[in-house]
Amino acid sequence: MRLGSHLSVSKGFHKAAEAAASIGANTFQFFTRNPRGGSARTISPQEVEKWQEARKKYDIYPIMGHLPYTVNMASPAERAYNFAKMVVADDLERMDAVGAEYLVIHPGSHAGSGREAGLERIVACLEESFLPYDGETSLLLETMAGQGSEIGTLADIAEIMEKLSWPDGMGVCLDSCHLTGAGYDFLQKEEVDRLVTDVKKTVGLSRVRAMHLNDSKFPPGTHKDRHERIGAGYLGKEGLLNLITHPAFKDLPMALETPVEDFQQYGEEITLIRSWL
């Protein structure tokens, strides 16, 4: 199983690889730039070289960049929308340069302007920022819990992809907490089957490339995005195992985004998950 967590790359990607190895991870996720402000640091060719050596040494594959939360492709505000277009285009190139397999993005929030208007803006943003891109990094749209004016159901994502003519380099990142918030009850095995059916009907299983593995503070259908430590939330051991052992999902790279105080606690969760398996 490709199991890891969210880690910092502020000291270099090679240092993140060492940190991953130290907690028993063989994949990881990271913010591509400051998650709140959006400023981006320069990644030198020397750093990329050290990183490529480290990832081979520690067998770290694949890795996922995550765009900052300030990026909103559905924003009706011109400044925020232009920022989203710039960051998506820029970070696809930056991630391609470091050899990141995936770049994860929240589809966006329509901020009260309506789902249809929000979807139109997302599609227009991606037409400008993603379609001209010809690198190796795939852009993954993340499933959301449906908080407020969030866009990000499987149906939403399928509509976006269809309007873009199903580009090869675009996929989906599932999130176990968000899916719980959206109404799937993974304590019931048949609910995992329902998710698989819904995926097949909308985006197709081949489009699902990664998973964020989080327990949930709240039960299904609350539309709340509140991550919990592994085994300490609604899903617990049973719900998480039902999801991650399903044949449709067991080979996906999985990254923890649980509320830890330091990255070593991710190591405890990785050990716990592997002991369950």
Side-chain angles (χ1 to χ4, degrees):
M1 176 178 274
R2 289 281 145 184
L3 182 59
S5 68
H6 194 96
L7 295 173
S8 171
V9 293
S10 61
K11 293 177 181 173
F13 281 81
H14 56 294
K15 292 290 184 186
E18 289 169 8
S22 76
I23 59 170
N26 52 15
T27 181
F28 67 85
Q29 178 180 266
F30 58 94
F31 281 123
T32 59
R33 53 180 66 211
N34 185 306
R36 297 293 171 194
S39 60
R41 70 177 183 86
T42 301
I43 304 163
S44 70
Q46 291 81 8
E47 181 183 337
V48 174
E49 190 178 339
K50 282 184 186 173
W51 149 241
Q52 294 297 355
E53 288 170 6
R55 87 178 310 187
K56 282 178 192 159
K57 178 180 177 182
Y58 298 116
D59 184 33
I60 309 287
Y61 294 91
I63 61 163
M64 295 174 247
H66 197 304
L67 284 164
Y69 300 132
T70 46
V71 171
N72 182 5
M73 298 191 293
S75 178
E78 189 177 359
R79 187 175 174 188
Y81 187 64
N82 288 337
F83 175 73
K85 286 192 287 189
M86 181 276 290
V87 172
V88 173
D90 195 30
D91 281 7
L92 279 165
E93 298 293 348
R94 292 173 70 240
M95 293 307 98
D96 193 46
V98 299
E101 283 76 12
Y102 304 121
L103 176 60
V104 180
I105 185 169
H106 293 182
S109 170
H110 62 70
S113 63
R115 175 183 178 271
E116 292 307 317
L119 283 169
E120 279 179 24
R121 281 191 289 271
I122 292 169
V123 170
C125 174
L126 291 170
E127 280 175 342
E128 191 173 325
S129 60
F130 172 75
L131 290 186
Y133 166 74
D134 63 356
E136 296 297 315
T137 301
S138 293
L139 186 68
L140 305 186
L141 304 179
E142 183 173 344
T143 55
M144 305 305 293
Q147 269 188 158
S149 60
E150 270 180 354
I151 291 170
T153 64
L154 286 165
D156 291 339
I157 293 170
E159 191 171 328
I160 292 163
M161 289 185 177
E162 188 171 0
K163 285 179 176 174
L164 294 167
S165 300
W166 300 97
D168 290 339
M170 188 173 284
V172 176
C173 177
L174 302 176
D175 185 301
S176 56
C177 172
H178 298 174
L179 289 166
T180 301
Y184 294 94
D185 186 354
F186 298 128
L187 290 183
Q188 320 300 322
K189 281 191 174 177
E190 57 269 25
E191 283 284 270
V192 187
D193 293 329
R194 179 167 77 90
L195 172 63
V196 172
T197 300
D198 289 348
V199 168
K200 286 177 178 175
K201 280 190 205 162
T202 52
V203 295
L205 276 175
S206 65
R207 293 274 170 180
V208 178
R209 313 270 167 84
M211 183 183 290
H212 290 159
L213 192 58
N214 304 297
D215 213 325
S216 175
K217 286 185 188 289
F218 291 99
T222 55
H223 300 295
K224 289 183 177 176
D225 173 6
R226 295 289 184 276
H227 299 191
E228 182 55 282
R229 297 289 307 275
I230 295 298
Y234 176 83
L235 294 170
K237 177 181 179 180
E238 187 179 357
L240 289 165
L241 278 182
N242 283 343
L243 182 63
I244 67 174
T245 60
H246 192 285
F249 305 131
K250 65 183 179 62
D251 295 325
L252 293 175
M254 301 187 187
L256 301 165
E257 300 175 316
T258 53
V260 297
E261 289 171 16
D262 60 69
F263 80 92
Q264 269 106 359
Q265 287 183 304
Y266 284 133
E268 296 166 14
E269 294 183 317
I270 288 167
T271 301
L272 178 62
I273 293 163
R274 291 200 188 279
S275 74
W276 290 348
L277 293 165

